[in-house]
Amino acid sequence: MLLQSERGSLRGGLRQRLQKPSSPAAAPVARCSTTSDETDSSEDERTSVVTKEGAKTEHAADTKVVYEFGGPMGVTALMVGFPILMSYMFICLALHHGRLRSPLEADFWVEGLPSIMPNVRATIIYMGFTVFQYITAATMPGIKVNGLPVPSLGGKQLEYLCNGVATWYLDLVLVLVLHNTGIFPITAVVDEIGPIMSVAMIWAIIVTIATYVVGVVSGRTHRMSGSLPYDMFMGAVLNPRIGNVDLKMWAEIRIPWKILFFISLSAAVKDHELNVAKMIESGSMPGIWSLFGGLIQMNAIQTSAPLLFMLLAHCLYVNACMKGEECIPTTWDIFYEKFGYMLIFWNLAGVPFSYCYSTLYLLNQNMANEPIQHSGAYTAFLFILLLAAYYVWDTANSQKNRFRMQQRGTYVERNTFPQLPWGTIKNPTFIKTKHGNKLLTGGWWGWARKIHYTADLVMALSWGLITGFGSYIPYFYVTFFVVVLAHRVTRDHIHCKEKYGADFDEYCRQVPYVFIPFIF
């Protein structure tokens, strides 16, 4: 996984995807037979990893308020700017073939705003999906794992229900049934993509305000700065829950990556239908695939290779999030970040409706009879690049998070598909810190301290390269990602230096490269 990275996770993101470790990542030392039903008592030797001095350091870091993102003025600009930027990018894609236009032109907004105005159908689609994801997260079967000890809760480890795989397969079956029966054609998603995006942004703002107000009224605030805009952006509550569903993990995993995949699936099916219609209009007939002994017959897939590439890319990401969901509770976002605009808006609206630019650009070009086409060699190269980067990203994240879980006695071995070779390392080398944690110097993490970010960036770049060079907008994701990860790496270095002191200096000596082994 995850990925997001973090995507990050995967874990950006970004966030997972776009995931940010609370310490340099580590890999498993040995198999652990403990389950989530076992005690999380701090007296248990299996979970007493952090020393008393380390616990004091973590508590101090957990309560320390540090202005980031430019402080109150900076985050205010971000909260106002993100919805405007997303609207601008979408209008450029939808009405101007991906060409950047001046946002100061009155006609730009007069002509463009109708394409993103919320409507009833878009509201039903987005809110129906969101409610369904909550219901399945709360009720579907899955494993239970404990997160990292929370300093503000006296070291308590919260329990997380990880049933992402079950909900993911249910989603796929349900979409297939709804589409084939005509009850809800999947192409409706891309047909209403502008209004759905606006509904998502409005809902994200509502959730941000509601979460902040509930946190303040209930007295559950944590690490508050005293600045209203800054606390709205960073969040007021650390571990918000409704029933057995942790809202932070739910918002980071169940909403953004699934929506992103279904946008690409919708576009791929739409592209297939358009290409079939063009073939019929030209007098030729598409081939017929006969499945299950003729029980199912369908037109041979006519979706273009670039859109199939994007569908694969987003499928890999969302599947990684689901199959490795038990690793998410140990990530930085869940352990440290609060549930504010930064996480809420980006997960509920930002990730799915800005990481899809490559998909939308490819579909729009085909609809304009200007399809993006590449040589077979170039296309094959990008598929290989994507899969190679995904392998590094998935296994690196697995090594890191499984080690953390094993150190806390919460690791549960799973056989979710696909389990890639080298996702778990036996007998790795590491540095034992005075804090109590272990810093890995083996596996992928012996090659570079942020190698999972490198792999994530390569995947992000491939999403742009598959679209060619006719528009900058498909490259917005990788550009934005570089800025985000540069900030994360700097932030993480400072945090780890404060947390581990001389032990972190030794770690950097043993693993001197940050992103690319032997280079940087």
Side-chain angles (χ1 to χ4, degrees):
M1 168 135 301
L2 251 190
L3 285 301
Q4 318 266 75
S5 175
E6 321 257 340
R7 293 264 226 327
S9 340
L10 228 201
R11 10 278 182 299
L14 154 74
R15 304 276 282 135
Q16 151 11 196
R17 60 297 139 187
L18 305 176
Q19 298 173 4
K20 179 180 187 301
S22 58
S23 65
V29 176
R31 295 287 180 182
C32 178
S33 61
T34 58
T35 69
S36 60
D37 293 327
E38 293 178 316
T39 177
D40 63 356
S41 169
S42 60
E43 299 301 318
D44 191 327
E45 292 183 358
R46 290 166 301 186
T47 60
S48 296
V49 177
V50 179
T51 64
K52 290 184 178 180
E53 189 62 33
K56 290 180 180 179
T57 301
E58 287 194 351
H59 185 270
D62 187 60
T63 56
K64 183 180 180 181
V65 176
V66 179
Y67 277 147
E68 300 183 79
F69 306 104
M73 292 188 65
V75 300
T76 299
L78 291 175
M79 288 190 286
V80 173
F82 271 139
I84 295 175
L85 178 62
M86 289 173 60
S87 300
Y88 168 76
M89 290 287 193
F90 180 83
I91 293 172
C92 287
L93 279 173
L95 302 184
H96 303 287
H97 301 286
R99 294 189 294 270
L100 298 178
R101 297 287 298 273
S102 172
L104 301 180
E105 297 177 4
D107 288 347
F108 176 85
W109 296 105
V110 170
E111 296 173 358
L113 285 178
S115 67
I116 62 172
M117 290 298 293
N119 58 44
V120 173
R121 191 184 190 202
T123 303
I124 293 173
I125 292 173
Y126 183 83
M127 295 308 300
F129 175 83
T130 300
V131 171
F132 181 74
Q133 290 305 312
Y134 174 82
I135 293 173
T136 55
T139 60
M140 293 289 287
I143 65 171
K144 295 180 180 179
V145 300
N146 291 333
L148 295 175
V150 182
S152 60
L153 298 179
K156 179 181 179 181
Q157 293 177 271
L158 297 176
E159 186 178 75
Y160 297 83
L161 173 62
C162 299
N163 54 11
V165 171
T167 70
W168 170 229
Y169 292 149
L170 176 62
D171 290 340
L172 293 176
V173 171
L174 187 59
V175 166
L176 179 64
V177 171
L178 292 176
H179 177 76
N180 286 332
T181 58
I183 296 175
F184 180 76
I186 189 61
T187 52
V189 174
V190 78
D191 289 341
E192 297 287 346
I193 189 67
I196 295 174
M197 177 188 71
S198 295
V199 172
M201 291 193 293
I202 293 170
W203 176 240
I205 293 171
I206 292 173
V207 172
T208 297
I209 296 172
T211 304
Y212 178 85
V213 171
V214 170
V216 171
V217 172
S218 64
R220 296 178 57 201
T221 58
H222 178 70
R223 204 188 314 122
M224 302 293 278
S225 71
S227 167
L228 178 61
Y230 192 77
D231 290 332
M232 289 281 287
F233 182 84
M234 300 301 293
V237 184
L238 182 62
N239 303 111
R241 295 190 169 210
I242 297 179
N244 63 340
V245 177
D246 181 271
L247 295 182
K248 269 199 306 186
M249 194 166 88
W250 172 81
E252 183 167 322
I253 302 302
R254 303 307 176 84
I255 302 300
W257 304 111
K258 285 187 176 183
I259 291 179
L260 183 63
F261 169 77
F262 287 124
I263 289 173
S264 284
L265 178 61
S266 177
V269 174
K270 182 82 170 181
D271 189 61
H272 165 81
E273 293 178 350
L274 289 171
N275 290 332
V276 169
K278 290 177 183 178
M279 293 179 67
I280 294 175
E281 185 178 348
S282 66
S284 61
M285 293 296 294
I288 301 296
W289 287 353
S290 181
L291 307 176
F292 305 109
L295 182 63
I296 297 178
Q297 292 189 333
M298 58 181 290
N299 290 328
I301 294 176
Q302 301 298 323
T303 302
S304 66
L307 269 172
L308 287 177
F309 176 92
M310 291 310 306
L311 182 61
L312 172 63
H314 293 162
C315 182
L316 289 173
Y317 229 112
V318 67
N319 189 71
C321 290
M322 298 305 111
K323 78 182 179 73
E325 186 184 20
E326 74 278 4
C327 296
I328 304 302
T330 62
T331 61
W332 178 261
D333 286 353
I334 305 302
F335 169 71
Y336 180 83
E337 302 285 20
K338 296 180 292 179
F339 198 52
Y341 182 96
M342 180 176 70
L343 292 186
I344 295 171
F345 185 88
W346 203 240
N347 285 318
L348 300 188
V351 168
F353 298 101
S354 62
Y355 290 10
C356 67
Y357 290 157
S358 295
T359 296
L360 297 183
Y361 176 74
L362 291 168
L363 178 62
N364 289 343
Q365 290 299 110
N366 190 24
M367 294 177 69
N369 290 317
E370 299 176 2
I372 302 298
Q373 297 177 328
H374 305 296
S375 68
Y378 182 79
T379 302
F381 165 74
L382 289 182
F383 270 95
I384 294 171
L385 181 68
L386 172 69
L387 292 172
Y390 171 78
Y391 172 77
V392 176
W393 176 75
D394 185 294
T395 53
N397 277 305
S398 294
Q399 292 173 10
K400 169 188 64 178
N401 289 304
R402 287 173 180 174
F403 175 74
R404 288 179 181 170
M405 295 171 69
Q406 288 183 336
Q407 294 305 296
R408 300 290 176 183
T410 62
Y411 176 60
V412 178
E413 188 171 357
R414 305 184 73 190
N415 294 314
T416 48
F417 178 81
Q419 292 297 312
L420 301 177
W422 216 35
T424 302
I425 300 180
K426 296 180 180 180
N427 303 317
T429 57
F430 53 81
I431 295 173
K432 178 66 179 291
T433 68
K434 296 180 180 64
H435 175 280
N437 286 347
K438 297 173 182 177
L439 308 182
L440 179 70
T441 56
W444 286 118
W445 305 96
W447 290 92
R449 303 198 297 270
K450 301 296 180 186
I451 198 166
H452 61 321
Y453 286 171
T454 304
D456 218 347
L457 284 170
V458 171
M459 287 192 290
L461 178 61
S462 73
W463 297 8
L465 292 174
I466 196 65
T467 68
F469 303 96
S471 171
Y472 160 74
I473 294 179
Y475 292 88
F476 168 79
Y477 169 44
V478 67
T479 304
F480 174 78
F481 208 15
V482 167
V483 175
V484 169
L485 293 187
H487 173 264
R488 278 179 171 264
V489 169
T490 302
R491 187 186 190 196
D492 186 54
H493 186 91
I494 294 172
H495 175 78
C496 290
K497 176 61 178 175
E498 292 178 349
K499 186 174 182 178
Y500 300 115
D503 290 325
F504 185 66
D505 293 335
E506 174 60 19
Y507 172 78
C508 292
R509 187 191 69 80
Q510 293 191 30
V511 188
Y513 303 102
V514 180
F515 293 110
I516 305 175
F518 308 110
I519 297 177
F520 175 58

